[in-house]
Short mmCIF file of all heavy atoms in Angstrom, two decimals:
data_model
loop_
_atom_site.label_atom_id
_atom_site.label_comp_id
_atom_site.label_asym_id
_atom_site.label_seq_id
_atom_site.Cartn_x
_atom_site.Cartn_y
_atom_site.Cartn_z
N ILE E 134 10.99 -29.01 1.04
CA ILE E 134 10.54 -30.09 0.16
C ILE E 134 9.64 -31.06 0.91
O ILE E 134 8.58 -31.41 0.41
CB ILE E 134 11.84 -30.87 -0.34
CG1 ILE E 134 12.76 -29.92 -1.04
CG2 ILE E 134 11.47 -32.05 -1.14
CD1 ILE E 134 14.06 -30.58 -1.47
N TRP E 135 10.01 -31.38 2.12
CA TRP E 135 9.25 -32.30 2.92
C TRP E 135 7.81 -31.83 3.08
O TRP E 135 6.87 -32.49 2.84
CB TRP E 135 9.93 -32.49 4.27
CG TRP E 135 9.28 -33.53 5.15
CD1 TRP E 135 9.45 -34.84 5.13
CD2 TRP E 135 8.32 -33.24 6.18
NE1 TRP E 135 8.70 -35.45 6.06
CE2 TRP E 135 7.97 -34.50 6.73
CE3 TRP E 135 7.69 -32.09 6.67
CZ2 TRP E 135 7.04 -34.61 7.79
CZ3 TRP E 135 6.77 -32.23 7.68
CH2 TRP E 135 6.46 -33.45 8.24
N LEU E 136 7.71 -30.55 3.50
CA LEU E 136 6.38 -29.98 3.80
C LEU E 136 5.55 -29.90 2.54
O LEU E 136 4.38 -30.30 2.55
CB LEU E 136 6.51 -28.65 4.50
CG LEU E 136 5.19 -27.97 4.91
CD1 LEU E 136 4.43 -28.81 5.82
CD2 LEU E 136 5.50 -26.61 5.51
N LEU E 137 6.14 -29.39 1.49
CA LEU E 137 5.34 -29.15 0.28
C LEU E 137 4.93 -30.47 -0.35
O LEU E 137 3.93 -30.56 -1.02
CB LEU E 137 6.17 -28.32 -0.70
CG LEU E 137 6.36 -26.85 -0.34
CD1 LEU E 137 7.33 -26.16 -1.19
CD2 LEU E 137 4.97 -26.13 -0.39
N GLU E 138 5.77 -31.49 -0.14
CA GLU E 138 5.33 -32.79 -0.70
C GLU E 138 4.38 -33.55 0.20
O GLU E 138 3.91 -34.61 -0.12
CB GLU E 138 6.60 -33.66 -1.00
CG GLU E 138 7.47 -33.01 -2.08
CD GLU E 138 8.42 -33.95 -2.76
OE1 GLU E 138 8.74 -34.96 -2.13
OE2 GLU E 138 8.80 -33.66 -3.86
N LYS E 139 4.08 -32.91 1.36
CA LYS E 139 3.17 -33.55 2.24
C LYS E 139 1.82 -32.74 2.32
O LYS E 139 1.10 -32.85 3.30
CB LYS E 139 3.73 -33.62 3.70
CG LYS E 139 4.73 -34.74 3.87
CD LYS E 139 4.35 -35.60 5.03
CE LYS E 139 5.35 -36.72 5.27
NZ LYS E 139 5.58 -37.54 4.05
N LEU E 140 1.65 -31.86 1.33
CA LEU E 140 0.42 -31.05 1.32
C LEU E 140 -0.81 -31.94 1.45
O LEU E 140 -1.81 -31.48 2.04
CB LEU E 140 0.31 -30.22 0.04
CG LEU E 140 1.18 -28.98 -0.09
CD1 LEU E 140 0.97 -28.29 -1.34
CD2 LEU E 140 0.90 -28.02 1.10
N GLY E 141 -0.78 -33.12 0.91
CA GLY E 141 -1.90 -34.03 0.98
C GLY E 141 -2.32 -34.32 2.40
O GLY E 141 -3.51 -34.61 2.60
N SER E 142 -1.44 -34.27 3.38
CA SER E 142 -1.83 -34.54 4.76
C SER E 142 -2.60 -33.35 5.33
O SER E 142 -3.34 -33.52 6.30
CB SER E 142 -0.59 -34.73 5.59
OG SER E 142 0.34 -35.52 4.97
N LEU E 143 -2.46 -32.22 4.74
CA LEU E 143 -3.16 -31.01 5.21
C LEU E 143 -4.55 -30.91 4.54
O LEU E 143 -5.50 -30.40 5.19
CB LEU E 143 -2.42 -29.75 4.96
CG LEU E 143 -1.10 -29.59 5.71
CD1 LEU E 143 -0.30 -28.42 5.21
CD2 LEU E 143 -1.33 -29.51 7.19
N ASN E 144 -4.65 -31.39 3.37
CA ASN E 144 -5.95 -31.34 2.72
C ASN E 144 -6.15 -32.58 1.84
O ASN E 144 -5.31 -32.85 0.95
CB ASN E 144 -6.05 -30.11 1.84
CG ASN E 144 -7.48 -29.81 1.39
OD1 ASN E 144 -8.14 -30.77 0.92
ND2 ASN E 144 -7.87 -28.60 1.49
N ALA E 145 -7.20 -33.35 2.18
CA ALA E 145 -7.38 -34.62 1.49
C ALA E 145 -7.61 -34.49 0.00
O ALA E 145 -7.41 -35.45 -0.74
CB ALA E 145 -8.53 -35.34 2.15
N ALA E 146 -7.99 -33.31 -0.43
CA ALA E 146 -8.25 -33.18 -1.84
C ALA E 146 -7.02 -33.11 -2.75
O ALA E 146 -7.05 -33.28 -3.93
CB ALA E 146 -9.06 -31.86 -2.13
N ILE E 147 -5.85 -32.99 -2.04
CA ILE E 147 -4.57 -32.98 -2.77
C ILE E 147 -4.06 -34.39 -2.85
O ILE E 147 -3.74 -34.95 -1.78
CB ILE E 147 -3.56 -32.04 -2.05
CG1 ILE E 147 -4.09 -30.58 -2.03
CG2 ILE E 147 -2.19 -32.09 -2.77
CD1 ILE E 147 -3.29 -29.65 -1.19
#
Side-chain angles (χ1 to χ4, degrees):
Chain E
I134 300 175
W135 183 84
L136 180 60
L137 287 169
E138 296 200 336
K139 284 233 183 305
L140 281 181
S142 317
L143 294 174
N144 193 314
I147 298 170

